[in-house]
Amino acid sequence: MTTALGARKWWGWGFEQDGVDPAAYEGLRASLLHLLGDARPRRIEPVDPASVRIPSPRFGLPPAIAEFASDDRLDRLSHAYGKAYVDVMRAVAGDVPNPPDWVAYPRDEAEVAAVIAFAESESIGLIPYGGGSSVVGGIEPPPCHEADRPGVITLDLRRLDRVLHVDRSSRLAEVEAGIFGPALEASLRPAGLTLRYFPQSFEFSTVGGWIATRGSGHFASGATRIDPLVAGVRLMTPRGILDTSELGLSGAGPSAVGPILGSEGSLGVVTRAWLRVRPEPTHRASTVVQFADEAAAIEAVRALGQSGMEPADCRLLSPLEAALTGVGDGRSAELLLGIESHDRPVDHDLARAIEICAAFAGRTAPAPARGDASDTDAAASRWRRWFVEAPYLRDRLALDELVVETFETATTWHRFAELHAATLRATQRAIVEACGQGFVTWRLNNVYPDGVAPYYTVLALGTAGREIAQWTAIKAAATEAIVANGGTITHHHAVGKTHRPWFERERGEVAVAALRGMKAALDPAGIMNPGTLLA
Amino acid sequence: MTTALGARKWWGWGFEQDGVDPAAYEGLRASLLHLLGDARPRRIEPVDPASVRIPSPRFGLPPAIAEFASDDRLDRLSHAYGKAYVDVMRAVAGDVPNPPDWVAYPRDEAEVAAVIAFAESESIGLIPYGGGSSVVGGIEPPPCHEADRPGVITLDLRRLDRVLHVDRSSRLAEVEAGIFGPALEASLRPAGLTLRYFPQSFEFSTVGGWIATRGSGHFASGATRIDPLVAGVRLMTPRGILDTSELGLSGAGPSAVGPILGSEGSLGVVTRAWLRVRPEPTHRASTVVQFADEAAAIEAVRALGQSGMEPADCRLLSPLEAALTGVGDGRSAELLLGIESHDRPVDHDLARAIEICAAFAGRTAPAPARGDASDTDAAASRWRRWFVEAPYLRDRLALDELVVETFETATTWHRFAELHAATLRATQRAIVEACGQGFVTWRLNNVYPDGVAPYYTVLALGTAGREIAQWTAIKAAATEAIVANGGTITHHHAVGKTHRPWFERERGEVAVAALRGMKAALDPAGIMNPGTLLA
C-alpha cells in the first residue's frame, strides 16, 4: 500500500504551506536577530527526501497486513521523528538512520489486532502513532544498531477516526482514538457540544495521543489535563482488550483509566475513548492585567489559582514573551485572564479576579465601549494566534538557524520562586556558553491551588552543524536546575525517550518496578513502544 | 503489649456511649415499626466478649515486634470485622472464627518495615488497618480453614497520627496516614485550613483508609472523592518504599498516586500522604428545594450537575428518606442545595441554582428574615445530624432486629432511570421475599456531569438467626439489578471481599491481570491483605 500524505511536511510541523503571514514573519525574524545582535542571512534548506539514505525494511509482512501497510520512503521518513527541534534539525539534514521498517494504517480493530499478533510472534517493536507531535522521542524507533529485535512497525491510527456515539444526556462522546482535534470538534458541533481541549498541537494530534501522553489543553486552571475529560478507554494489548467502558465514576479498585493515561503506548494501543464533552461557553469575560513587578504578578497568579474560581485563561507572560507575541510592550508582565461558562454570566467572577490582581498592583486596561474591540481583545487574540502558529514559527526560525525550543515543568508554590530563578540563571548561562547570543522567555502556563507549571522558550543563535549539540547542552543545564529545585521532568510533554533517565530518578525504583509489573502482565514480550517511558 | 481500646465498641460503630438522644431514637424506632406493621419488643444483646471462643494465635512474634503487638482477646475481636451489618450481626452473636492472630501497633515506619519483613519471611498475611470502618470485608482476615498461610497480622496504624508539615503557600499538608478525621481537622484549624473531607465515617476513619479505599467525602459534586485531594503518597511495600513526594502536578508517565488510590492494602501500607487543603469557607448559601415529581427532581439534579457550578451540597432525598431523616414530610422529594466559597459571595450562584430547579417545578421555601434560623437551615442541620448519627442508629436498629443496611452505585445519566427503577423493584421484591415486611429508601448522593451515584437504604423486619441470610439475599438481588443495568459495583464503598466477584466481572480479565502484575512487582509473596480486592 502507498499512502498519500497530502500536503503534510515530512520533516516538520503541519502543512507545507503554513499560512504564516510572510511580512509578520519577517518582522519577527528581524526583531529576534536584532535582539541577538546578528543579522546574517543564513538559511537551511531541507534535503530532498528522495536523496535521504535509509535502510531497507528488515522484514516482510504477511499479505493480510501488507494490504494496509506501507514501506514507501516518504511514509517511513515522516514517521521517523516527532516534532522536537532536534527532530526537525535531524530531518532537514537528511539524518534519518532509524525509520520504522513499515508504517501500518489499520482500518479497524481487527487489523490492529492482526498487527499486534504478528509483531508479538516475531518480537517486532510496535509504535502506536497518532499525530506524531511528540517532542520527547515518544514515537521514534529505537536505534537499529541497539535493537535486540528484528525491526519496528509504526501503527498510524489515522483511519480510526469516527465519532461512534454522542450521549447528550450524559455528555459523553464515544470516539475512535485516531481522530484529530479539528475533526472531533467538527463532529461534536452539530450537537452543540465541545471537548474544549485545545493543546498547542490541536491541529495535528489525536485523542489517542492526548490520552497516551496525558496532554494538556488550553485551560490554564481546572481541567487543564486530558485526564478528567476521559471517562473510559479501550486499549488493545498483546494479552487482549482492556475496555473500561464509559463507567468512569466507578470507585471500585484503583481507577481503571488511570494507568492508561500517560502510558505512552508502552502497554498497548488506545483505540477508543469515552470523552466528557460540554456545551460551548455562552458567557465569557476576559481582560489583560499588567504588572510592573514580576514577583507580585506571580503572587497574584497564586491567589487566583487558590481562589477556587478556576479561570479558563490565567496565563502570565514575562515582559519579553509578551513583547515577542505582540501582547505587550515588554515593560510589564501581562496576565491573560478569562472566565467562561455555558450556564451563567461570569462578570462577577471576572470582577473578583481583577480585584485579586489589584491587591498585587495589577492594572487592567479600561473597559471598551460596548461593541468596540478593546485592546484587551486584541491582545488576547494576538496571543491565541501566536499560540497556534508557534510550531510553524519554530520551524521557520530553525531553518533560519536559530536554536529555538521550549521546555516546561511543574512544582509546588513553595518551591517555585527558587526553581524559577535557578532555571532562568542556568538556562541563560548555558545559552551564552553554547551559542554566544540568546535568551529565554517564560510564562506561567497552568495554575493549580498547590503549584504552577512554568513554560520556557529558548531563542539563541545557532552554529551550522552544531545546533543539536547546542540545544542539548542548554536542555541539560535547564533540566538539572529544575530537578535540583524540586520540579518535575514534565508537566505535559510526556517522558518518551528524551526524559526517561530523569523520569526514572523522579519516580523512583519501586514505582518504576510497579509500572514494569503492569507492562509485563499486558505486554510480556515487550513489543509495545520499546524504549519509550520504560527502558 | 496490651492495648486499651478506650470506650470504642468491639462489635459495632464508635463509642460505647453513642450520644444518640434516647427519646429521638425511640421515636424513630416506633415510626419504623409502625411502617413495618410490627411492634414486637425484640432486642438482641451483644455477647460478652469474654465468652467468645476464638482460636489461639497460630504463630509467635519475634521480641522486637511483640513489643508493639497484642494478642489480647479484645484487640483481636475488635479487629476481626469491619462495620457492615453482617459484621455487626456476626460479632454480637459471638461468631468470630477468624480474628487476626496478632494486632500490631507500630509507632514509626521502622516498625512497619519490621512487620512487613517478618510477614514476608513467614508468608504471613498482613492487613493494613485504619479506623476499621470497611463495609465490604476489607480488613477481615481470610477464613482460617481456607488459608494457605500460617496466619495473619493486622497492622493498626493509629499511632502514625502526626501532621508533619503544613505548607501554607502551596496549601499542602504532609500527614501520617493513621490520623483520624477529627484529629486532622483539629491540627489544620490553627492555620485556618481544612481538608473539608467529611465521609460518613469521618469520626472513625483515617487518611490512609480514605486513600486505600478511594473514599467519598461530603461534597455532592466537584471533588467528591479523596482522589483529587491527594497530591502524594508514601507506600511501604515488601519491595521497598514507593514515595511519590508531594509533586502531584507531574505529568510524567501515568499518575504515580493513581494505582495506590483504591489499592485497599493489596500493594502495601500507606504511611504518609500530602493532602490538598484549603481555607474554611467564609461564604455559604443553601436552601432546600421541594419537588412533587421525582422524575423532574432527578432532571433538575442532572442540570445542576452539568451546570459547572459544582455545588458542595446537592443531595436529593426520596420522599420517604426525607421523612425518616426529619428533612421533609414524606410528600415530596427534597433537594439539599448548598454552595460555598472561601473567596467570594455565592448568592448569585445559589440564585442561578434555584432558577434551574424552578425550571423543573422545584419550589424553595421563602427566605427567612436576616438573623432568623429558617426552616431550610433546620432541615439541613437535621440532615447533617442524621448523616453523622446514621451508623450509630444502624447498630441500634440492628439490635432491635431490623435488617438495616445500605448499598450504592454510580452510572451515567443515560442509564440512570432504568437502573434506578430496576434496582428499586428488585430490592423491594427481595425484601418481601426475605423479610415479609420492609422498604428501600434512596437519595442521589453524588452528582457529576456524566452521571450520578444513588445511595439506597434498606429497612426490613429481621427474623432471629436468619438476619444475615436475609440481607445477603436482598443485597444479591440489588446487585444483580445494578450490574444488569450498567451500574458499577461501587461508587465509594470499595471492593474488599464482598464485592470482589462483581469487581472482577466489571473490570474484566485483562485489567485485573494488569493489577495483578503491579501487585506481583511490589508484593511477590502475596502477603498484603490477601483476598481483598484481588483473589
Side-chain angles (χ1 to χ4, degrees):
Chain A
M1 194 200 90
T2 309
T3 310
L5 271 165
R8 289 267 310 259
K9 266 183 224 163
W10 72 273
W11 56 268
W13 188 254
F15 295 115
E16 290 285 357
Q17 294 304 319
D18 61 16
V20 175
D21 176 57
Y25 176 73
E26 278 313 312
L28 174 68
R29 179 175 174 276
S31 324
L32 285 173
L33 288 176
H34 175 73
L35 278 167
L36 295 169
D38 188 286
R40 294 167 294 171
R42 289 178 295 210
R43 175 82 192 171
I44 297 168
E45 281 299 327
V47 297
D48 178 351
S51 73
V52 179
R53 289 188 53 185
I54 57 173
S56 301
R58 290 166 283 180
F59 59 92
L61 294 176
I65 293 175
E67 201 202 324
F68 58 88
S70 165
D71 63 351
D72 174 85
R73 159 180 292 270
L74 209 52
D75 278 333
R76 294 176 65 206
L77 283 176
S78 63
H79 289 80
Y81 291 132
K83 298 293 180 286
Y85 172 72
V86 297
D87 298 335
V88 170
M89 294 309 288
R90 288 183 295 173
V92 296
D95 176 21
V96 191
N98 309 302
D101 298 277
W102 292 90
V103 182
Y105 300 88
R107 290 159 294 196
D108 53 34
E109 288 192 344
E111 292 185 346
V112 174
V115 176
I116 292 175
F118 172 70
E120 189 175 34
S121 72
E122 304 287 322
S123 293
I124 288 165
L126 194 55
I127 303 179
Y129 186 102
S133 64
S134 172
V135 291
V136 291
I139 47 82
E140 181 176 334
C144 290
H145 65 274
E146 278 182 16
D148 52 351
R149 64 185 72 251
V152 167
I153 301 173
T154 291
L155 198 67
D156 186 317
L157 295 155
R158 66 177 65 183
R159 286 168 162 182
L160 296 182
D161 65 350
R162 291 175 301 163
V163 170
L164 299 171
H165 178 63
V166 178
D167 170 357
R168 291 182 191 223
S169 161
S170 314
R171 295 193 178 159
L172 287 170
E174 183 180 2
V175 308
E176 289 186 320
I179 192 167
F180 280 70
L184 173 68
E185 288 296 332
S187 295
L188 295 173
R189 206 168 295 125
L193 295 168
T194 170
L195 184 63
R196 272 194 94 53
Y197 176 82
F198 301 114
Q200 196 162 30
S201 62
F202 176 73
E203 204 179 349
F204 297 106
S205 58
T206 64
V207 168
W210 303 340
I211 290 172
T213 60
R214 297 178 76 202
S216 182
H218 75 299
F219 288 122
S221 70
T224 59
R225 254 191 259 276
I226 192 73
D227 303 34
L229 303 179
V230 183
V233 169
R234 196 167 149 92
L235 180 81
M236 297 187 72
T237 82
R239 284 289 69 77
I241 295 178
L242 192 167
D243 189 328
T244 71
S245 87
E246 81 276 37
L247 216 51
L249 302 178
S250 171
S255 160
V257 175
I260 300 164
L261 292 162
S263 59
E264 302 191 36
S266 68
L267 301 177
V269 184
V270 177
T271 58
R272 198 175 291 188
W274 287 266
L275 301 174
R276 295 186 172 114
V277 294
R278 62 180 84 194
E280 285 284 347
T282 43
H283 303 273
R284 289 180 183 177
S286 66
T287 191
V288 178
V289 187
Q290 303 186 319
F291 295 87
D293 178 348
E294 292 177 27
I298 291 166
E299 277 300 290
V301 169
R302 178 167 79 89
L304 288 166
Q306 296 181 339
S307 70
M309 215 178 303
E310 301 192 346
D313 203 359
C314 186
R315 286 205 165 76
L316 181 69
L317 311 187
S318 73
L320 186 52
E321 184 147 325
L324 286 174
T325 56
V327 173
D329 61 8
R331 286 181 298 184
S332 51
E334 310 270 334
L335 178 66
L336 299 163
L337 191 55
I339 302 184
E340 63 178 44
S341 168
H342 60 265
D343 178 71
R344 61 202 172 281
V346 290
D347 311 278
H348 286 102
D349 278 1
L350 186 69
R352 172 65 189 137
I354 289 171
E355 191 176 279
I356 290 173
C357 292
F360 297 92
R363 291 171 46 181
T364 47
R370 190 168 286 273
D372 288 3
S374 67
D375 285 356
T376 284
D377 292 342
S381 97
R382 278 194 293 272
W383 164 258
R384 270 197 300 277
R385 185 174 172 133
W386 181 86
F387 186 73
V388 170
E389 286 184 353
Y392 284 115
L393 295 172
R394 201 274 315 272
D395 282 2
R396 290 238 192 156
L397 292 168
L399 295 188
D400 278 333
E401 214 167 280
L402 295 184
V403 173
V404 49
E405 184 58 300
T406 64
F407 61 92
E408 42 78 32
T409 183
T411 194
T412 60
W413 285 111
H414 179 64
R415 297 179 191 277
F416 177 67
E418 267 182 57
L419 176 146
H420 187 51
T423 302
L424 289 175
R425 217 163 36 229
T427 307
Q428 189 60 49
R429 189 184 310 130
I431 288 170
V432 171
E433 278 170 19
C435 302
Q437 289 284 341
F439 52 84
V440 52
T441 74
W442 58 270
R443 63 176 184 265
L444 303 190
N445 204 60
N446 302 87
V447 180
Y448 302 89
D450 49 332
V452 57
Y455 196 100
Y456 301 91
T457 300
V458 169
L459 285 151
L461 285 180
T463 307
R466 293 202 54 250
E467 304 93 340
I468 291 178
Q470 288 174 314
W471 166 248
T472 305
I474 296 165
K475 167 86 175 174
T479 305
E480 286 305 322
I482 285 171
V483 170
N485 286 280
T488 172
I489 186 61
T490 185
H491 172 267
H492 66 273
H493 280 169
V495 174
K497 296 181 180 63
T498 312
H499 287 154
R500 209 181 59 209
W502 289 284
F503 169 67
E504 287 170 357
R505 256 164 72 184
E506 178 178 323
R507 193 56 69 100
E509 204 182 315
V510 179
V512 170
L515 287 176
R516 275 189 214 290
M518 189 167 273
K519 181 174 170 73
L522 301 181
D523 174 27
I527 60 163
M528 292 308 310
N529 213 356
T532 287
L533 185 63
L534 298 170
Chain B
M1 193 201 89
T2 309
T3 309
L5 272 164
R8 289 269 305 264
K9 267 183 223 162
W10 71 273
W11 56 268
W13 188 256
F15 295 116
E16 290 285 357
Q17 293 304 318
D18 61 16
V20 174
D21 176 54
Y25 176 73
E26 279 313 312
L28 174 67
R29 179 174 174 278
S31 325
L32 286 173
L33 288 177
H34 175 71
L35 278 166
L36 295 170
D38 188 287
R40 293 167 294 172
R42 288 179 297 209
R43 175 82 192 170
I44 297 168
E45 281 300 326
V47 297
D48 178 350
S51 74
V52 179
R53 289 188 53 184
I54 57 173
S56 301
R58 289 165 284 179
F59 58 91
L61 294 176
I65 293 175
E67 200 203 326
F68 58 88
S70 165
D71 63 351
D72 174 84
R73 160 180 292 269
L74 209 52
D75 278 333
R76 293 176 65 205
L77 283 177
S78 62
H79 288 81
Y81 290 132
K83 297 294 181 285
Y85 172 72
V86 297
D87 298 335
V88 170
M89 294 309 288
R90 289 184 294 174
V92 296
D95 176 20
V96 192
N98 310 303
D101 298 276
W102 292 89
V103 182
Y105 299 88
R107 290 159 292 196
D108 55 33
E109 288 192 344
E111 292 185 345
V112 174
V115 176
I116 292 175
F118 171 70
E120 190 175 35
S121 72
E122 305 287 322
S123 293
I124 289 166
L126 195 56
I127 303 179
Y129 186 103
S133 64
S134 173
V135 291
V136 291
I139 48 81
E140 181 175 333
C144 289
H145 65 274
E146 276 181 18
D148 53 350
R149 66 184 71 251
V152 167
I153 300 173
T154 291
L155 198 67
D156 185 318
L157 295 154
R158 67 178 64 185
R159 286 168 161 179
L160 296 182
D161 65 350
R162 290 175 300 163
V163 170
L164 298 171
H165 179 63
V166 177
D167 170 357
R168 290 180 192 225
S169 161
S170 314
R171 296 193 177 160
L172 286 170
E174 182 180 3
V175 308
E176 289 185 320
I179 192 168
F180 281 71
L184 173 69
E185 289 295 331
S187 295
L188 294 173
R189 205 166 296 128
L193 295 168
T194 170
L195 184 63
R196 271 195 94 54
Y197 175 82
F198 301 114
Q200 196 163 29
S201 62
F202 176 72
E203 203 179 348
F204 298 104
S205 58
T206 64
V207 168
W210 304 339
I211 289 171
T213 59
R214 297 178 75 202
S216 181
H218 74 300
F219 287 123
S221 70
T224 60
R225 252 190 260 275
I226 193 73
D227 303 33
L229 304 178
V230 183
V233 169
R234 196 168 149 91
L235 180 80
M236 298 187 72
T237 82
R239 285 286 71 79
I241 295 178
L242 192 167
D243 189 328
T244 72
S245 88
E246 81 276 35
L247 215 53
L249 302 178
S250 171
S255 159
V257 175
I260 300 165
L261 291 162
S263 60
E264 302 192 36
S266 68
L267 301 177
V269 183
V270 176
T271 56
R272 198 175 290 190
W274 288 265
L275 301 174
R276 296 185 172 116
V277 294
R278 62 180 83 194
E280 284 284 347
T282 43
H283 303 273
R284 289 180 183 179
S286 65
T287 191
V288 179
V289 187
Q290 301 186 319
F291 295 86
D293 178 348
E294 292 177 27
I298 290 166
E299 277 301 289
V301 169
R302 178 167 79 90
L304 289 166
Q306 295 181 339
S307 69
M309 214 179 302
E310 301 192 346
D313 203 359
C314 185
R315 287 205 165 78
L316 180 69
L317 311 188
S318 73
L320 185 52
E321 185 147 326
L324 286 174
T325 56
V327 172
D329 60 9
R331 286 181 300 185
S332 52
E334 310 270 334
L335 178 67
L336 300 163
L337 192 54
I339 301 184
E340 62 177 47
S341 168
H342 60 264
D343 179 71
R344 62 203 171 282
V346 291
D347 311 281
H348 285 102
D349 278 0
L350 186 69
R352 173 63 189 139
I354 290 171
E355 191 176 277
I356 290 173
C357 291
F360 297 92
R363 292 170 48 181
T364 46
R370 189 168 286 273
D372 286 4
S374 67
D375 285 356
T376 284
D377 292 343
S381 96
R382 277 194 294 273
W383 164 260
R384 270 197 301 277
R385 186 172 172 136
W386 181 85
F387 186 73
V388 170
E389 286 185 354
Y392 285 115
L393 295 172
R394 202 274 315 271
D395 282 2
R396 288 240 192 156
L397 293 168
L399 295 188
D400 279 332
E401 216 168 278
L402 294 183
V403 173
V404 47
E405 183 57 300
T406 65
F407 62 91
E408 41 79 30
T409 182
T411 194
T412 60
W413 286 111
H414 179 63
R415 296 179 191 276
F416 177 67
E418 268 182 57
L419 175 143
H420 187 51
T423 302
L424 290 175
R425 217 163 36 228
T427 307
Q428 188 62 48
R429 190 184 309 129
I431 287 170
V432 171
E433 277 171 19
C435 301
Q437 290 284 341
F439 52 83
V440 52
T441 74
W442 58 269
R443 62 176 184 265
L444 302 190
N445 204 61
N446 301 89
V447 180
Y448 302 89
D450 50 333
V452 56
Y455 196 101
Y456 301 91
T457 300
V458 169
L459 285 150
L461 286 179
T463 307
R466 295 200 53 249
E467 304 93 339
I468 291 177
Q470 288 174 313
W471 167 248
T472 304
I474 297 165
K475 167 84 176 176
T479 304
E480 286 305 323
I482 285 171
V483 169
N485 286 279
T488 172
I489 185 60
T490 186
H491 172 267
H492 66 274
H493 281 168
V495 174
K497 294 179 182 66
T498 311
H499 289 154
R500 209 182 60 209
W502 289 286
F503 170 67
E504 287 170 357
R505 257 164 72 185
E506 178 178 324
R507 193 56 71 99
E509 205 181 317
V510 179
V512 170
L515 287 177
R516 276 189 214 290
M518 189 168 273
K519 181 174 171 73
L522 301 182
D523 175 26
I527 59 163
M528 292 307 311
N529 213 357
T532 286
L533 185 64
L534 298 170

